[in-house]
Amino acid sequence: MSTRTLYLFSSAAPPVFDIAHVIEDAQADGWDVCLGLTPAAARWLQDSLDGLAALTGRPVRWDYKLPGEPDVWPKADAILVAPATFNTVNAWALGLTDKFVVGVVAEGIGKRIPMAVMPCVNAAYVQHPQFERSMDTLRGAGVTVLYGEGGFVPNQPGQGNPAAYPWRLALDAVRDLPQTD
């Protein structure tokens, strides 16, 4: 079995602090992992970025490369966006690509890269009418959405338990995404 490349994209939500374990689990599942972060998540993990790069064997990215620079990552076979904050979900669905990870996944829809997203938002955020529209937009674009029953279930503000974030569910879902050539 050949190794497949997984782009693991994470936003600044508390479960991101477990990302090293998630990378290890994905690698145990046979993935070559490339880690991309939102700028806020990169700030949260700044003391760990060198170690995360060593773990993946690739630079951790949170910004677009400059014109003419070579791409330092192989082509993605699948993309997992988790934890995905309210901002990341809505920016992706609306096509607002000022952040590297959102730009890659927005383009990934057109490239037909198999993708899954698992939000990490509280119950107050999901009351905003744009959130459900964004979830529907991503589903309609072919993204596997792990939200609600059988996915991430929002908690009340301030009541989240980062250790309960269902990372294994997300990794299993990305494993089961259809393969493309």
Side-chain angles (χ1 to χ4, degrees), residues 10 15 18 25 40 61 70 80 94-95 105 108 117 144 157 163 171 178-180:
S10 297
D18 290 330
D25 288 346
R61 296 192 53 197
L80 172 60
L94 293 169
V105 294
V117 60
T144 297
L171 290 173
Q179 295 185 32
T180 61

Side-chain angles (χ1 to χ4, degrees), residues 120-124 152-161:
C120 184
V121 295
N122 69 41
F152 176 79
V153 177
N155 50 269
Q156 291 303 311
Q159 301 299 309
N161 176 3

Side-chain angles (χ1 to χ4, degrees), residues 86-153:
F86 179 80
N87 188 57
T88 296
V89 166
N90 289 325
W92 183 8
L94 293 169
L96 305 175
T97 61
D98 61 324
K99 292 179 179 62
F100 166 72
V101 297
V102 177
V104 173
V105 294
E107 187 177 36
I109 290 170
K111 289 181 172 181
R112 305 223 183 281
I113 299 170
M115 293 186 281
V117 60
M118 188 162 61
C120 184
V121 295
N122 69 41
Y125 277 124
V126 302
Q127 296 306 308
H128 191 286
Q130 184 56 49
F131 187 77
E132 204 56 53
R133 286 193 293 265
S134 292
M135 293 281 90
D136 290 343
T137 295
L138 295 175
R139 280 186 197 99
V143 177
T144 297
V145 175
L146 305 168
Y147 170 69
E149 190 67 31
F152 176 79
V153 177

